[in-house]
């Protein structure tokens, strides 16, 4: 092929490729706009009926936020495998305090009912990432998040909710046939009761052969929504000790403008499912002595929590306020639960399902040079610890 002819051919090819790319962008834009119009139409049909038809009607601001979140189509994660919708219910009504300690958690629909006890015990801002593994679950998750925002004052006031699904799924306003289902939910307790029934006997990590639970992605989504705050990242079935948030913020205020010198490890325990969580460290010690409570992962992976030095923490003398009890260096394979500034590195999102996923964050963080175990030895309020309800 002659030089000028070859040049003309390549020019024509480049123009053709550019035209194809432009048409693809135009198609995606039209598709997104059509999806947005469909959501607004469904929204008007489902929630825009006569006053009083839908119980616990949310504010116009909440409605507009849900409308915007769904019409946006979400965003894809770095791998392109998942679609993320942030702030489905808008910012919590009680947001704005700075600094604050945000509890970041994650769950599937199977365990979302546990959010009720978690929010009631924390009494502060909570960021929850909800995973829906298929179109049916995405549809139900959207309806239940709307119901939680509409009927549950504590959720509306304290919780920022984020939906994660596979990239091929689009969250949408519930279909008209869901209107009757929504109408049966009269109060906050009805919503959590329905979630508990739907999740009975199911686990986050048992989603079927074709769905892996992306726990580290969910942790990053929940923690990323707490920009500018301290965070405590927990699984949804773990409960913090009463007064933990207020006690830590009081401690952080004494550390000066530079803030905490590292991360603050919170001892975690497992308790028999028939027992209620203790309200103070003295009660925890009593249950520990009779074998009703044990250190987290003591049976499954003792090395994973050994550096916490439970015996030392349990034998700390009583004190009147939360304080730094002792410092330790990280060593493999420690997977502590901890409070940190939100500037810590993200979790490695390639890790999914169960086991050795939180550890992917630990060795990469420069903050691990000084790890502080929290000695919250309060006489009248709770000591600083975590509890997870499990069969010992």
């Amino acid at each position: 092929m002659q030089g000028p002819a070859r040049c003309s051919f390549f020019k024509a090819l480049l123009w053709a490729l550019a035209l194809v790319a432009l048409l693809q962008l135009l198609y995606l834009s039209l598709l997104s706009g059509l999806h947005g119009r469909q959501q607004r139409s469904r929204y008007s049909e489902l929630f825009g009926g006569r006053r009083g038809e839908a119980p616990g009607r949310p504010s116009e601001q909440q409605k507009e936020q849900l409308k915007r979140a769904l019409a946006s189509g979400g965003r894809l994660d770095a791998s392109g495998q998942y679609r993320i919708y942030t702030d489905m219910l808008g910012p919590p009504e009680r947001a704005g305090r700075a600094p604050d300690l945000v509890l970041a958690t994650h769950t599937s629909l199977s365990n979302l009912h546990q959010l009720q006890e978690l929010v009631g015990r924390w009494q502060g801002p909570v960021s929850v990432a909800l995973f829906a593994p298929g179109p049916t679950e995405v549809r139900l998750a959207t309806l239940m998040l709307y119901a939680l925002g509409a009927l549950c004052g504590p959720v509306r006031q304290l919780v920022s909710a984020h939906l994660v699904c596979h990239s091929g799924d689009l969250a949408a306003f519930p279909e008209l046939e869901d209107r009757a289902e929504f109408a049966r939910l009269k109060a906050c307790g009805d919503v959590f009761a329905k979630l508990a029934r739907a999740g009975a006997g199911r686990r986050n990590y048992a989603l079927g052969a074709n769905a892996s639970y992306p726990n580290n992605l969910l942790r990053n989504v929940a923690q990323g929504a707490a920009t500018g705050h301290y965070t405590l990242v927990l699984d949804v079935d773990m409960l913090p000790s009463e007064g933990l948030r207020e006690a830590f913020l009081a401690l952080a205020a004494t550390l000066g403008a530079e803030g905490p010198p590292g991360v603050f490890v919170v001892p975690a325990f497992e308790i028999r499912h028939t027992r209620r969580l203790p309200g103070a460290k003295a009660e925890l010690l009593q249950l520990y002595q009779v074998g009703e409570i044990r250190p987290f992962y003591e049976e499954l992976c003792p090395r994973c929590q050994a550096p916490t030095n439970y015996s030392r923490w349990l034998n700390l003398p009583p004190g009147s306020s939360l304080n730094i009890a002792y410092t330790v260096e990280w060593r493999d394979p420690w997977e502590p639960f901890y409070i940190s500034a939100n500037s810590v590195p993200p979790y490695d999102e390639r890790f999914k399902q169960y086991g050795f996923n939180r550890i992917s964050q630990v060795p990469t963080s420069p903050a691990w040079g000084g790890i502080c175990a929290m000695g919250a030895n309060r006489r009248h309020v709770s000591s600083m610890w975590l509890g997870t309800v499990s069969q010992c």
Side-chain angles (χ1 to χ4, degrees):
M1 183 181 294
Q2 299 292 333
R6 181 182 301 173
C7 183
S8 298
F9 171 77
F10 282 117
K11 284 184 177 180
L13 181 60
L14 289 173
W15 276 107
L17 290 173
L19 181 60
V20 170
L22 180 63
L23 289 174
Q24 287 179 329
L25 289 174
L26 180 61
Y27 170 75
L28 291 174
S29 177
L30 292 174
L31 185 63
S32 178
L34 177 62
H35 180 72
R37 286 194 295 273
Q38 288 175 335
Q39 301 318 299
R40 287 188 288 272
S41 175
R42 288 181 183 176
Y43 175 88
S44 177
E45 292 171 332
L46 185 62
F47 303 130
R50 295 186 305 273
R51 180 170 295 277
E53 283 188 342
R57 297 174 65 88
S59 68
E60 290 301 321
Q61 182 179 359
Q62 287 179 294
K63 292 180 180 180
E64 289 302 316
Q65 175 61 33
L66 182 62
K67 186 189 305 183
R68 287 194 298 269
L70 294 177
S72 72
R75 63 175 175 84
L76 298 181
D77 76 318
S79 72
Q81 299 179 53
Y82 299 98
R83 188 178 302 275
I84 303 168
Y85 295 87
T86 56
D87 287 325
M88 293 280 284
L89 305 177
E93 292 177 358
R94 284 170 53 182
R97 173 181 175 181
D100 208 333
L101 175 56
V102 179
L103 194 156
T105 189
H106 58 95
T107 183
S108 65
L109 278 167
S110 302
N111 278 333
L112 185 59
H113 64 279
Q114 300 195 64
L115 184 67
Q116 183 177 29
E117 188 174 6
L118 188 62
V119 171
R121 193 171 181 92
W122 185 246
Q123 291 295 307
V126 175
S127 177
V128 57
L130 172 64
F131 180 57
T136 300
E137 290 82 3
V138 171
R139 175 176 168 178
L140 180 59
T142 304
L143 177 63
M144 298 313 292
L145 285 177
Y146 175 81
L148 287 172
L151 300 175
C152 298
V155 171
R156 190 165 56 247
Q157 294 170 2
L158 299 171
V159 176
S160 58
H162 324 287
L163 178 63
V164 178
C165 56
H166 287 108
S167 58
D169 297 330
L170 283 171
F173 286 108
E175 302 288 347
L176 286 180
E177 55 263 33
D178 295 320
R179 189 169 188 167
E181 182 68 30
F182 181 78
R184 283 194 285 269
L185 304 174
K186 303 294 185 181
C188 183
D190 296 338
V191 184
F192 281 112
K194 179 177 175 59
L195 287 169
R197 290 193 299 270
R202 299 182 181 182
R203 295 183 300 169
N204 279 343
Y205 297 99
L207 301 174
N210 298 321
S212 295
Y213 185 73
N215 39 29
N216 277 357
L217 170 63
L218 297 171
R219 289 184 177 110
N220 287 339
V221 170
Q223 188 173 40
T227 302
H229 295 284
Y230 302 118
T231 54
L232 171 61
V233 180
L234 298 181
D235 295 346
V236 76
D237 59 350
M238 300 191 77
L239 291 173
S241 56
E242 295 173 350
L244 185 155
R245 170 174 158 267
E246 295 82 359
F248 175 80
L249 290 175
L251 171 65
T254 68
L255 298 175
E258 295 182 0
V263 299
F264 297 86
V265 172
V266 183
F269 294 86
E270 295 173 339
I271 184 171
R272 292 187 186 276
H273 73 282
T274 55
R275 286 281 188 178
R276 68 173 182 85
L277 288 177
K281 186 176 180 180
E283 187 180 355
L284 183 147
L285 287 172
Q286 291 175 353
L287 294 175
Y288 176 79
Q289 290 167 356
V290 297
E292 294 294 311
I293 279 180
R294 69 186 182 191
F296 186 75
Y297 268 22
E298 182 181 62
E299 184 176 285
L300 184 62
C301 183
R303 293 172 59 242
C304 296
Q305 298 296 321
T308 301
N309 199 342
Y310 281 92
S311 61
R312 182 175 180 179
W313 185 86
L314 288 167
N315 287 288
L316 289 171
S320 59
S321 62
L322 183 64
N323 54 78
I324 298 172
Y326 49 91
T327 61
V328 293
E329 297 291 330
W330 180 83
R331 65 178 187 267
D332 188 36
W334 194 15
E335 283 193 323
F337 297 95
Y338 61 89
I339 295 170
S340 71
N342 205 31
S343 56
V344 294
Y347 294 88
D348 189 331
E349 296 177 0
R350 294 172 297 177
F351 285 81
K352 302 176 185 179
Q353 288 298 96
Y354 184 79
F356 294 101
N357 42 67
R358 286 185 295 111
I359 198 175
S360 68
Q361 182 200 39
V362 173
T364 66
S365 175
W368 292 97
I371 304 179
C372 308
M374 304 305 298
N377 308 297
R378 303 166 66 99
R379 291 192 177 92
H380 304 294
V381 189
S382 160
S383 297
M384 190 169 182
W385 49 274
L386 302 172
T388 178
V389 179
S390 63
Q391 181 67 49
C392 293

